[in-house]
Structures are given as C-alpha cells and as structure tokens.
Amino acid sequence: MPVSERQLAEFADKRAWQIPFDTSPRHLAGPGDARHVTHGLAAVGWTRTSDPLSAEIVLRSPDGRHSLQLDPQSATSAWWRLRAEPTDTEPDWYAEFGELVPAEILASVTDALLCPPRAEPPGPWQALSSAAWKLDQQNSAHSPDGMCHIELRPLGDRDTPSWHIETREHGHGHPVGPRIWHAWFDHHTPSHLVSAFVTTLTDTAPLQRGMFERTAHYSAVKELSPLSPQQVVDAHTARLDALRIQARAARRRQRPATTQPLGPPPKAAAPPVRR
C-alpha cells in the first residue's frame, strides 16, 4: 500500500484534536494539509525521489513523465511546481502554485491528472459564470469579493495565452493590493487540468480547517462544521480508495490506445516544439 498505515495514523492523530470549521470563501481558506495532495499521489504509485531528510519533497509518477515538487524553502513565491516532460506526441508543460493555495484546490488538478475525464469537462469560463464571478471583456474574471482574479493572457512574445490566477488584498488607492497567493498554468497545460482548478476554486461549498489553522486572510469566515474530526479522516481515507479505483480504470482505458496496430509502422511524428 503506497500510503502506509503509519502515515494514515499520523494524519488521523493530527485531526483528532482539531475541531473542524467550515471556512469560506475558498480562495481565503488557507493552505490546509499538504497531505491532501501528497497522499493522493502516493496512493496511485507516485514515489518520493528527493532526500527523505530534506524539507523539499519531489514526487514522480510511475512512468517518470510527471513530477510534483513542494519546496517550502523556495526563494520564489512558488512553493508547488507541477511538471510534465515531453513525449513524441505531447509537449512539456508546467504549472506553479503559491504557499497559500488551498491543498484541496491543488489536489483537484493532480486528481484530474491521475484520472482524466472521459469527456472534455466544461471550460473555465462556464464554471466562472455559473459561480457568479464577474466576467470582464478582456479574458478575465474576478470573485464576488473582488479579491481573486483570473486572467487568460499572453506571456512575453507568445501568441498562445496562459492562465494566471491571483488572490490579492483590496487596494488602498491602487487597482489591487499586495498578493496573497498565485497560480499559473503555461500555455501547454492540458485544458482539463485548468478547468479542474477553476471549478474547485469557484465552488461555494466551504473547506474544512482546524480551529486555529492558518487562513490566507483575516476576512475568511469560519463557522463550526457539522463534521466531526473522525468524519474528516474518514473522508480522506475514502478519497484515497476512490483514487486508486479511478486511476486503475483510467489506465485500463488508455492501454488499447498504446497498442501498436498490425501492418506497416506509422510515420514518425514531428518532434514537439520546445519552449
């Protein structure tokens, strides 16, 4: 079992004394527990390739193509970095996330990477509209409280735009105030991963945080949750079990596509364009 009984017990021990509070809006809920992300990846076979005694954690997928880095000592504001190496048919891509991005929202991206949907999900703009975020005319939107901003904009000289998400303090005499956290997806990031992030970010359901757990902003609203600590632990364990089943099913669906057909070999694909 990739996530050991000891690791699950440590997660449960921490939650046992934390009274859960429903915390909203999500973009101000704070980072939560990073194990919401790392346990999910480990449950389907990702392994740690970094020094076990280092504060930095690097997890790599079984096929070696994808990696997730958590570096709390990063010299930049990006604590999380998600990467994909190029293949003969797919380009490399990169996404990064700041310290205070809620773990549950980041986990929606890694979950979608592990278990791709059978059909293309609704796009980010549809999710934003359904959540009553204000859509601007120039490929941008912001949350009802005006603190979280999403923009699809070009990077440098590239014609293909990339997704930029930022949560900021309200400005005092300026359009925006200091940044609280950010997320960025480069222009090659699969669209269903961006959709997963935006859909989970804009969900109005609260996130559970412990009574004294850090939030991203003092204006986050915390109310006593109807869930008990044990129910929070049970939900975590059930999610890991569901991920294993879904990832196994996704791998079975992908196998026929990787089987070589009979007959002459296909023409070689052009090498991917590197950034």
PDB file of all heavy atoms in Angstrom, residues 85-106:
ATOM      1  N   GLU A  85       7.183  16.085 -18.656  1.00  0.00           N
ATOM      2  CA  GLU A  85       8.226  16.002 -19.674  1.00  0.00           C
ATOM      3  C   GLU A  85       7.579  15.766 -21.042  1.00  0.00           C
ATOM      4  O   GLU A  85       6.486  15.212 -21.139  1.00  0.00           O
ATOM      5  CB  GLU A  85       9.187  14.860 -19.354  1.00  0.00           C
ATOM      6  CG  GLU A  85       9.914  15.002 -18.020  1.00  0.00           C
ATOM      7  CD  GLU A  85      10.786  16.232 -17.971  1.00  0.00           C
ATOM      8  OE1 GLU A  85      11.321  16.629 -19.030  1.00  0.00           O
ATOM      9  OE2 GLU A  85      10.945  16.803 -16.870  1.00  0.00           O
ATOM     10  N   PRO A  86       8.245  16.175 -22.128  1.00  0.00           N
ATOM     11  CA  PRO A  86       7.663  15.967 -23.457  1.00  0.00           C
ATOM     12  C   PRO A  86       7.711  14.500 -23.873  1.00  0.00           C
ATOM     13  O   PRO A  86       8.538  13.727 -23.391  1.00  0.00           O
ATOM     14  CB  PRO A  86       8.551  16.827 -24.361  1.00  0.00           C
ATOM     15  CG  PRO A  86       9.885  16.842 -23.658  1.00  0.00           C
ATOM     16  CD  PRO A  86       9.554  16.856 -22.187  1.00  0.00           C
ATOM     17  N   THR A  87       6.795  14.142 -24.766  1.00  0.00           N
ATOM     18  CA  THR A  87       6.811  12.815 -25.390  1.00  0.00           C
ATOM     19  C   THR A  87       6.876  13.014 -26.899  1.00  0.00           C
ATOM     20  O   THR A  87       6.962  14.147 -27.389  1.00  0.00           O
ATOM     21  CB  THR A  87       5.555  12.011 -25.024  1.00  0.00           C
ATOM     22  OG1 THR A  87       4.407  12.615 -25.663  1.00  0.00           O
ATOM     23  CG2 THR A  87       5.324  11.991 -23.516  1.00  0.00           C
ATOM     24  N   ASP A  88       6.802  11.921 -27.654  1.00  0.00           N
ATOM     25  CA  ASP A  88       6.828  12.026 -29.107  1.00  0.00           C
ATOM     26  C   ASP A  88       5.593  12.738 -29.648  1.00  0.00           C
ATOM     27  O   ASP A  88       5.622  13.284 -30.750  1.00  0.00           O
ATOM     28  CB  ASP A  88       6.916  10.630 -29.734  1.00  0.00           C
ATOM     29  CG  ASP A  88       8.259   9.979 -29.472  1.00  0.00           C
ATOM     30  OD1 ASP A  88       9.224  10.717 -29.179  1.00  0.00           O
ATOM     31  OD2 ASP A  88       8.341   8.734 -29.548  1.00  0.00           O
ATOM     32  N   THR A  89       4.513  12.724 -28.881  1.00  0.00           N
ATOM     33  CA  THR A  89       3.255  13.295 -29.375  1.00  0.00           C
ATOM     34  C   THR A  89       2.724  14.442 -28.522  1.00  0.00           C
ATOM     35  O   THR A  89       1.807  15.131 -28.934  1.00  0.00           O
ATOM     36  CB  THR A  89       2.160  12.210 -29.428  1.00  0.00           C
ATOM     37  OG1 THR A  89       1.999  11.634 -28.121  1.00  0.00           O
ATOM     38  CG2 THR A  89       2.543  11.113 -30.422  1.00  0.00           C
ATOM     39  N   GLU A  90       3.308  14.666 -27.345  1.00  0.00           N
ATOM     40  CA  GLU A  90       2.792  15.711 -26.452  1.00  0.00           C
ATOM     41  C   GLU A  90       3.934  16.604 -25.982  1.00  0.00           C
ATOM     42  O   GLU A  90       5.047  16.126 -25.728  1.00  0.00           O
ATOM     43  CB  GLU A  90       2.103  15.084 -25.242  1.00  0.00           C
ATOM     44  CG  GLU A  90       0.877  14.248 -25.586  1.00  0.00           C
ATOM     45  CD  GLU A  90       0.284  13.610 -24.349  1.00  0.00           C
ATOM     46  OE1 GLU A  90       0.761  12.518 -23.973  1.00  0.00           O
ATOM     47  OE2 GLU A  90      -0.632  14.209 -23.752  1.00  0.00           O
ATOM     48  N   PRO A  91       3.671  17.904 -25.844  1.00  0.00           N
ATOM     49  CA  PRO A  91       4.723  18.819 -25.391  1.00  0.00           C
ATOM     50  C   PRO A  91       4.896  18.762 -23.880  1.00  0.00           C
ATOM     51  O   PRO A  91       4.064  18.210 -23.154  1.00  0.00           O
ATOM     52  CB  PRO A  91       4.175  20.190 -25.813  1.00  0.00           C
ATOM     53  CG  PRO A  91       2.685  20.019 -25.702  1.00  0.00           C
ATOM     54  CD  PRO A  91       2.404  18.601 -26.137  1.00  0.00           C
ATOM     55  N   ASP A  92       5.989  19.337 -23.419  1.00  0.00           N
ATOM     56  CA  ASP A  92       6.137  19.501 -21.986  1.00  0.00           C
ATOM     57  C   ASP A  92       5.231  20.639 -21.519  1.00  0.00           C
ATOM     58  O   ASP A  92       4.782  21.460 -22.312  1.00  0.00           O
ATOM     59  CB  ASP A  92       7.596  19.776 -21.623  1.00  0.00           C
ATOM     60  CG  ASP A  92       8.156  21.003 -22.334  1.00  0.00           C
ATOM     61  OD1 ASP A  92       7.515  21.489 -23.282  1.00  0.00           O
ATOM     62  OD2 ASP A  92       9.243  21.463 -21.952  1.00  0.00           O
ATOM     63  N   TRP A  93       4.946  20.677 -20.238  1.00  0.00           N
ATOM     64  CA  TRP A  93       4.166  21.779 -19.674  1.00  0.00           C
ATOM     65  C   TRP A  93       4.519  21.968 -18.207  1.00  0.00           C
ATOM     66  O   TRP A  93       5.184  21.126 -17.600  1.00  0.00           O
ATOM     67  CB  TRP A  93       2.663  21.591 -19.866  1.00  0.00           C
ATOM     68  CG  TRP A  93       2.072  20.312 -19.356  1.00  0.00           C
ATOM     69  CD1 TRP A  93       1.818  19.184 -20.071  1.00  0.00           C
ATOM     70  CD2 TRP A  93       1.634  20.023 -18.010  1.00  0.00           C
ATOM     71  NE1 TRP A  93       1.274  18.208 -19.258  1.00  0.00           N
ATOM     72  CE2 TRP A  93       1.138  18.698 -17.999  1.00  0.00           C
ATOM     73  CE3 TRP A  93       1.617  20.749 -16.819  1.00  0.00           C
ATOM     74  CZ2 TRP A  93       0.638  18.096 -16.839  1.00  0.00           C
ATOM     75  CZ3 TRP A  93       1.118  20.161 -15.659  1.00  0.00           C
ATOM     76  CH2 TRP A  93       0.631  18.845 -15.690  1.00  0.00           C
ATOM     77  N   TYR A  94       4.072  23.093 -17.651  1.00  0.00           N
ATOM     78  CA  TYR A  94       4.495  23.471 -16.308  1.00  0.00           C
ATOM     79  C   TYR A  94       3.386  24.292 -15.653  1.00  0.00           C
ATOM     80  O   TYR A  94       2.729  25.109 -16.298  1.00  0.00           O
ATOM     81  CB  TYR A  94       5.778  24.296 -16.396  1.00  0.00           C
ATOM     82  CG  TYR A  94       6.218  24.952 -15.107  1.00  0.00           C
ATOM     83  CD1 TYR A  94       6.904  24.225 -14.134  1.00  0.00           C
ATOM     84  CD2 TYR A  94       5.948  26.292 -14.855  1.00  0.00           C
ATOM     85  CE1 TYR A  94       7.318  24.833 -12.956  1.00  0.00           C
ATOM     86  CE2 TYR A  94       6.355  26.905 -13.689  1.00  0.00           C
ATOM     87  CZ  TYR A  94       7.045  26.174 -12.735  1.00  0.00           C
ATOM     88  OH  TYR A  94       7.444  26.781 -11.568  1.00  0.00           O
ATOM     89  N   ALA A  95       3.177  24.063 -14.359  1.00  0.00           N
ATOM     90  CA  ALA A  95       2.250  24.869 -13.566  1.00  0.00           C
ATOM     91  C   ALA A  95       2.869  25.086 -12.191  1.00  0.00           C
ATOM     92  O   ALA A  95       3.618  24.236 -11.694  1.00  0.00           O
ATOM     93  CB  ALA A  95       0.897  24.175 -13.429  1.00  0.00           C
ATOM     94  N   GLU A  96       2.576  26.235 -11.579  1.00  0.00           N
ATOM     95  CA  GLU A  96       3.115  26.519 -10.260  1.00  0.00           C
ATOM     96  C   GLU A  96       2.040  27.155  -9.380  1.00  0.00           C
ATOM     97  O   GLU A  96       1.091  27.772  -9.868  1.00  0.00           O
ATOM     98  CB  GLU A  96       4.346  27.430 -10.338  1.00  0.00           C
ATOM     99  CG  GLU A  96       4.045  28.836 -10.836  1.00  0.00           C
ATOM    100  CD  GLU A  96       5.282  29.723 -10.844  1.00  0.00           C
ATOM    101  OE1 GLU A  96       6.353  29.230 -11.247  1.00  0.00           O
ATOM    102  OE2 GLU A  96       5.165  30.909 -10.442  1.00  0.00           O
ATOM    103  N   PHE A  97       2.248  27.005  -8.053  1.00  0.00           N
ATOM    104  CA  PHE A  97       1.238  27.442  -7.099  1.00  0.00           C
ATOM    105  C   PHE A  97       1.923  28.017  -5.865  1.00  0.00           C
ATOM    106  O   PHE A  97       2.926  27.489  -5.398  1.00  0.00           O
ATOM    107  CB  PHE A  97       0.347  26.261  -6.679  1.00  0.00           C
ATOM    108  CG  PHE A  97      -0.193  25.477  -7.851  1.00  0.00           C
ATOM    109  CD1 PHE A  97       0.549  24.425  -8.384  1.00  0.00           C
ATOM    110  CD2 PHE A  97      -1.406  25.804  -8.428  1.00  0.00           C
ATOM    111  CE1 PHE A  97       0.070  23.709  -9.472  1.00  0.00           C
ATOM    112  CE2 PHE A  97      -1.888  25.086  -9.520  1.00  0.00           C
ATOM    113  CZ  PHE A  97      -1.145  24.036 -10.043  1.00  0.00           C
ATOM    114  N   GLY A  98       1.358  29.084  -5.331  1.00  0.00           N
ATOM    115  CA  GLY A  98       1.929  29.724  -4.163  1.00  0.00           C
ATOM    116  C   GLY A  98       1.618  29.000  -2.870  1.00  0.00           C
ATOM    117  O   GLY A  98       0.787  28.078  -2.813  1.00  0.00           O
ATOM    118  N   GLU A  99       2.255  29.441  -1.808  1.00  0.00           N
ATOM    119  CA  GLU A  99       2.166  28.784  -0.498  1.00  0.00           C
ATOM    120  C   GLU A  99       0.734  28.655  -0.003  1.00  0.00           C
ATOM    121  O   GLU A  99       0.348  27.618   0.560  1.00  0.00           O
ATOM    122  CB  GLU A  99       2.980  29.593   0.521  1.00  0.00           C
ATOM    123  CG  GLU A  99       2.810  29.138   1.947  1.00  0.00           C
ATOM    124  CD  GLU A  99       3.340  30.145   2.948  1.00  0.00           C
ATOM    125  OE1 GLU A  99       3.842  31.208   2.531  1.00  0.00           O
ATOM    126  OE2 GLU A  99       3.250  29.864   4.159  1.00  0.00           O
ATOM    127  N   LEU A 100      -0.083  29.690  -0.174  1.00  0.00           N
ATOM    128  CA  LEU A 100      -1.403  29.731   0.446  1.00  0.00           C
ATOM    129  C   LEU A 100      -2.524  29.236  -0.462  1.00  0.00           C
ATOM    130  O   LEU A 100      -3.699  29.417  -0.138  1.00  0.00           O
ATOM    131  CB  LEU A 100      -1.706  31.158   0.926  1.00  0.00           C
ATOM    132  CG  LEU A 100      -0.760  31.690   2.013  1.00  0.00           C
ATOM    133  CD1 LEU A 100      -1.140  33.106   2.418  1.00  0.00           C
ATOM    134  CD2 LEU A 100      -0.742  30.776   3.229  1.00  0.00           C
ATOM    135  N   VAL A 101      -2.183  28.596  -1.588  1.00  0.00           N
ATOM    136  CA  VAL A 101      -3.211  27.938  -2.396  1.00  0.00           C
ATOM    137  C   VAL A 101      -3.785  26.778  -1.586  1.00  0.00           C
ATOM    138  O   VAL A 101      -3.029  25.932  -1.095  1.00  0.00           O
ATOM    139  CB  VAL A 101      -2.628  27.418  -3.720  1.00  0.00           C
ATOM    140  CG1 VAL A 101      -3.655  26.587  -4.472  1.00  0.00           C
ATOM    141  CG2 VAL A 101      -2.165  28.578  -4.590  1.00  0.00           C
ATOM    142  N   PRO A 102      -5.098  26.700  -1.400  1.00  0.00           N
ATOM    143  CA  PRO A 102      -5.667  25.585  -0.635  1.00  0.00           C
ATOM    144  C   PRO A 102      -5.292  24.235  -1.244  1.00  0.00           C
ATOM    145  O   PRO A 102      -5.367  24.037  -2.457  1.00  0.00           O
ATOM    146  CB  PRO A 102      -7.175  25.846  -0.712  1.00  0.00           C
ATOM    147  CG  PRO A 102      -7.280  27.328  -0.874  1.00  0.00           C
ATOM    148  CD  PRO A 102      -6.122  27.709  -1.747  1.00  0.00           C
ATOM    149  N   ALA A 103      -4.892  23.304  -0.374  1.00  0.00           N
ATOM    150  CA  ALA A 103      -4.461  21.995  -0.851  1.00  0.00           C
ATOM    151  C   ALA A 103      -5.564  21.278  -1.610  1.00  0.00           C
ATOM    152  O   ALA A 103      -5.293  20.557  -2.571  1.00  0.00           O
ATOM    153  CB  ALA A 103      -4.004  21.142   0.341  1.00  0.00           C
ATOM    154  N   GLU A 104      -6.818  21.477  -1.208  1.00  0.00           N
ATOM    155  CA  GLU A 104      -7.916  20.804  -1.885  1.00  0.00           C
ATOM    156  C   GLU A 104      -8.054  21.269  -3.336  1.00  0.00           C
ATOM    157  O   GLU A 104      -8.452  20.489  -4.212  1.00  0.00           O
ATOM    158  CB  GLU A 104      -9.235  21.059  -1.142  1.00  0.00           C
ATOM    159  CG  GLU A 104      -9.284  20.474   0.260  1.00  0.00           C
ATOM    160  CD  GLU A 104      -8.751  21.435   1.318  1.00  0.00           C
ATOM    161  OE1 GLU A 104      -8.054  22.409   0.954  1.00  0.00           O
ATOM    162  OE2 GLU A 104      -9.029  21.207   2.507  1.00  0.00           O
ATOM    163  N   ILE A 105      -7.738  22.539  -3.585  1.00  0.00           N
ATOM    164  CA  ILE A 105      -7.848  23.065  -4.950  1.00  0.00           C
ATOM    165  C   ILE A 105      -6.691  22.548  -5.797  1.00  0.00           C
ATOM    166  O   ILE A 105      -6.881  22.148  -6.952  1.00  0.00           O
ATOM    167  CB  ILE A 105      -7.897  24.606  -4.924  1.00  0.00           C
ATOM    168  CG1 ILE A 105      -9.122  25.070  -4.132  1.00  0.00           C
ATOM    169  CG2 ILE A 105      -7.930  25.169  -6.341  1.00  0.00           C
ATOM    170  CD1 ILE A 105      -9.207  26.576  -3.956  1.00  0.00           C
ATOM    171  N   LEU A 106      -5.508  22.533  -5.238  1.00  0.00           N
ATOM    172  CA  LEU A 106      -4.368  21.939  -5.953  1.00  0.00           C
ATOM    173  C   LEU A 106      -4.615  20.453  -6.200  1.00  0.00           C
ATOM    174  O   LEU A 106      -4.290  19.927  -7.277  1.00  0.00           O
ATOM    175  CB  LEU A 106      -3.089  22.160  -5.161  1.00  0.00           C
ATOM    176  CG  LEU A 106      -1.815  21.489  -5.675  1.00  0.00           C
ATOM    177  CD1 LEU A 106      -1.559  21.827  -7.132  1.00  0.00           C
ATOM    178  CD2 LEU A 106      -0.626  21.895  -4.818  1.00  0.00           C
TER     179      LEU A 106
END
